[in-house]
Amino acid sequence: MLEDLNGPASEKEIEQLELVLGLNLPASFRETLKIHNGESDGWPCKVFADRGAFLGTDRIQEEWQQRQTISADIAEEFEVDQIKQLIEDGIIFVEGSVKPVLFQNAWIPIMDSNGDVFWALDYSPTEGGISGQVIEVDWEGTLWRVVAPSFEAFMQSYMQSLERGEYQIVDGLPTKETSF
């Protein structure tokens, strides 16, 4: 797992990312990038077991721009009332204070799993949400959910799961899966 981690991001790389995003990264995420600027290839996902590839500054920018384009292309087809109806019909699932949209500029992707599932820092939550909360968006599974109130809480929860032995190493990768 650790061999796949990149070296540190420079302050210049982080500042460039913030400039492109038009958002400031939380201090804890900046410090994480200064230690490891994402994973080198991200497949299979090695650092965040059973989740997504940890994105570095370049990949965050690429994901952010790609998801903006995809969202803009598809969003024209859906009206707010249509999305509300899909939620009522049990086709789209929302857990917590997150907007059920394909993407918005105020989301900073931090992990990606094969393009259809991503995790992001959410700087535009719905009422009751916390700016900077970590969300999971699963386009394929039609699930939008809050997974942690902050990046710090997300990391702490993951580290505690590792320390409690909730993960097994299978083929050199951590997983919670018990059978294959």
Side-chain angles (χ1 to χ4, degrees):
M1 286 172 32
L2 298 177
E3 291 174 4
D4 197 46
L5 288 168
N6 293 328
S10 68
E11 185 64 33
K12 184 177 178 179
E13 289 172 308
I14 294 170
E15 288 173 359
Q16 176 63 31
L17 175 62
E18 290 178 325
L19 182 64
V20 169
L21 300 176
L23 296 166
N24 293 322
L25 300 174
S28 60
F29 190 65
R30 287 177 121 264
E31 291 305 313
T32 298
L33 289 172
K34 286 181 181 179
I35 297 168
H36 293 291
N37 191 10
E39 291 184 57
S40 62
D41 67 3
W43 190 255
C45 307
K46 296 179 182 111
V47 179
F48 290 98
D50 297 333
R51 292 191 176 146
F54 175 44
L55 304 177
T57 53
D58 289 343
R59 289 275 318 278
I60 291 170
Q61 183 175 331
E62 288 170 20
E63 290 288 328
W64 186 78
Q65 289 170 332
Q66 287 175 0
R67 291 181 188 286
Q68 277 186 319
T69 302
I70 291 168
S71 179
D73 290 347
I74 296 173
E76 294 174 7
E77 298 177 27
F78 292 96
E79 308 252 344
V80 173
D81 290 339
Q82 289 172 308
I83 292 174
K84 287 180 183 177
Q85 188 62 51
L86 292 170
I87 293 169
E88 288 175 20
D89 292 344
I91 295 169
I92 291 178
F93 304 94
V94 179
E95 297 175 9
S97 300
V98 59
K99 295 175 184 169
V101 296
L102 291 177
F103 191 76
Q104 55 181 348
N105 293 345
W107 289 354
I108 302 173
I110 59 172
M111 292 188 307
D112 175 73
S113 180
N114 219 18
D116 58 345
V117 182
F118 68 95
W119 291 257
L121 302 173
D122 178 5
Y123 284 92
S124 183
T126 59
E127 187 176 329
I130 300 169
S131 183
Q133 65 190 9
V134 178
I135 60 170
E136 175 185 2
V137 177
D138 181 349
W139 288 351
E140 187 175 57
T142 64
L143 171 67
W144 283 254
R145 70 182 183 120
V146 176
V147 294
S150 66
F151 180 72
E152 299 91 348
F154 175 77
M155 289 297 291
Q156 184 174 20
S157 174
Y158 182 58
M159 287 185 284
Q160 288 171 347
S161 292
L162 290 171
E163 289 171 351
R164 285 191 300 265
E166 295 177 12
Y167 290 88
Q168 300 173 20
I169 304 298
V170 177
D171 296 327
L173 302 173
T175 182
K176 278 190 172 181
E177 298 291 326
T178 55
S179 62
F180 294 90

